[in-house]
Amino acid sequence: LKGRIVGSMASREPEDPRQPKVRATLAEVEEMHIPLQYRDSCVDDLIVLNRCRRDCFYLPWKCTHERHAYEYCQYKEFRERLKIREEQKLVEKE
Protein backbone atom coordinates (compact mmCIF):
# COMPACT_ATOMS: atom_id res chain seq x y z
CA LEU A 1 0.00 0.00 0.00
CA LYS A 2 2.98 2.30 0.32
CA GLY A 3 2.78 5.06 -2.23
CA ARG A 4 -0.83 4.31 -3.15
CA ILE A 5 -3.31 7.14 -3.10
CA VAL A 6 -6.63 6.14 -1.59
CA GLY A 7 -9.71 8.36 -1.65
CA SER A 8 -9.44 11.51 0.43
CA MET A 9 -5.93 10.61 1.52
CA ALA A 10 -4.59 12.00 -1.76
CA SER A 11 -4.06 15.46 -0.28
CA ARG A 12 -2.24 14.20 2.81
CA GLU A 13 1.53 14.13 3.11
CA PRO A 14 3.20 10.71 3.15
CA GLU A 15 3.29 9.27 6.63
CA ASP A 16 6.57 8.98 8.50
CA PRO A 17 7.27 5.27 9.04
CA ARG A 18 8.79 6.07 12.43
CA GLN A 19 5.51 7.56 13.66
CA PRO A 20 3.59 4.94 15.63
CA LYS A 21 -0.07 4.44 14.88
CA VAL A 22 -2.56 5.67 17.46
CA ARG A 23 -5.81 3.72 17.47
CA ALA A 24 -7.65 5.86 20.04
CA THR A 25 -10.05 8.45 18.69
CA LEU A 26 -10.31 11.96 20.02
CA ALA A 27 -13.73 11.11 21.46
CA GLU A 28 -12.26 8.19 23.45
CA VAL A 29 -9.43 10.32 24.75
CA GLU A 30 -11.79 13.08 25.84
CA GLU A 31 -14.20 10.55 27.38
CA MET A 32 -11.36 9.16 29.51
CA HIS A 33 -10.33 12.73 30.52
CA ILE A 34 -6.72 12.24 29.40
CA PRO A 35 -4.74 15.47 29.96
CA LEU A 36 -2.99 17.00 26.95
CA GLN A 37 0.51 16.15 28.18
CA TYR A 38 -0.35 12.41 28.08
CA ARG A 39 -1.87 12.42 24.58
CA ASP A 40 1.12 10.91 22.85
CA SER A 41 1.63 7.70 20.88
CA CYS A 42 1.12 5.65 24.06
CA VAL A 43 -2.38 6.95 24.74
CA ASP A 44 -3.88 3.59 23.70
CA ASP A 45 -1.99 1.80 26.47
CA LEU A 46 -2.84 4.56 28.94
CA ILE A 47 -6.56 4.19 28.23
CA VAL A 48 -6.38 0.45 28.87
CA LEU A 49 -4.37 1.04 32.06
CA ASN A 50 -6.76 3.67 33.40
CA ARG A 51 -9.79 1.46 32.70
CA CYS A 52 -8.15 -1.41 34.55
CA ARG A 53 -7.23 0.84 37.47
CA ARG A 54 -10.77 2.15 37.72
CA ASP A 55 -12.28 -1.35 37.49
CA CYS A 56 -9.90 -2.70 40.16
CA PHE A 57 -10.30 0.28 42.52
CA TYR A 58 -6.64 1.33 42.04
CA LEU A 59 -5.29 -1.67 43.95
CA PRO A 60 -1.49 -1.52 43.56
CA TRP A 61 -1.07 -5.26 42.88
CA LYS A 62 -3.62 -5.20 40.06
CA CYS A 63 -3.08 -4.06 36.46
CA THR A 64 0.65 -4.73 36.53
CA HIS A 65 0.69 -6.07 32.97
CA GLU A 66 -1.09 -2.96 31.69
CA ARG A 67 1.24 -0.68 33.65
CA HIS A 68 4.34 -2.39 32.28
CA ALA A 69 2.95 -2.23 28.74
CA TYR A 70 2.40 1.53 29.13
CA GLU A 71 5.85 2.08 30.66
CA TYR A 72 7.50 0.04 27.89
CA CYS A 73 5.71 2.13 25.27
CA GLN A 74 6.98 5.29 26.97
CA TYR A 75 10.50 3.83 26.99
CA LYS A 76 10.36 2.98 23.27
CA GLU A 77 9.12 6.50 22.51
CA PHE A 78 11.98 7.98 24.56
CA ARG A 79 14.54 5.83 22.71
CA GLU A 80 13.09 6.94 19.37
CA ARG A 81 13.41 10.60 20.39
CA LEU A 82 17.04 10.00 21.36
CA LYS A 83 17.72 8.37 18.01
CA ILE A 84 16.16 11.31 16.15
CA ARG A 85 18.19 13.77 18.23
CA GLU A 86 21.41 11.91 17.47
CA GLU A 87 20.60 12.02 13.74
CA GLN A 88 20.00 15.76 14.02
CA LYS A 89 23.34 16.25 15.74
CA LEU A 90 25.12 14.36 12.96
CA VAL A 91 23.44 16.50 10.32
CA GLU A 92 24.39 19.71 12.18
CA LYS A 93 28.05 18.65 12.30
CA GLU A 94 28.18 18.19 8.51
Side-chain angles (χ1 to χ4, degrees), residues 39-85:
R39 295 182 187 186
D40 55 5
S41 62
C42 299
V43 73
D44 298 321
D45 295 324
L46 182 60
I47 289 173
V48 172
L49 174 61
N50 284 344
R51 281 186 185 144
C52 180
R53 285 176 171 170
R54 194 174 50 241
D55 293 343
C56 296
F57 304 104
Y58 290 88
L59 295 172
W61 57 87
K62 300 283 188 172
C63 307
T64 55
H65 175 72
E66 290 83 356
R67 188 183 80 232
H68 289 296
Y70 175 68
E71 290 172 350
Y72 183 66
C73 180
Q74 290 285 318
Y75 173 74
K76 288 191 308 187
E77 186 176 285
F78 170 72
R79 297 292 297 178
E80 186 62 33
R81 286 195 312 264
L82 284 180
K83 188 186 304 182
I84 291 170
R85 180 62 185 139

Side-chain angles (χ1 to χ4, degrees), residues 21-34:
K21 305 288 187 230
V22 177
R23 296 178 307 269
T25 64
L26 183 59
E28 287 176 321
V29 172
E30 288 177 351
E31 177 186 325
M32 293 297 294
H33 303 289
I34 306 291

Side-chain angles (χ1 to χ4, degrees), residues 4-21:
R4 258 177 80 180
I5 299 174
V6 181
S8 64
M9 295 176 62
S11 62
R12 294 175 59 189
E13 294 180 17
E15 293 184 18
D16 186 1
R18 292 184 297 196
Q19 284 293 94
K21 305 288 187 230

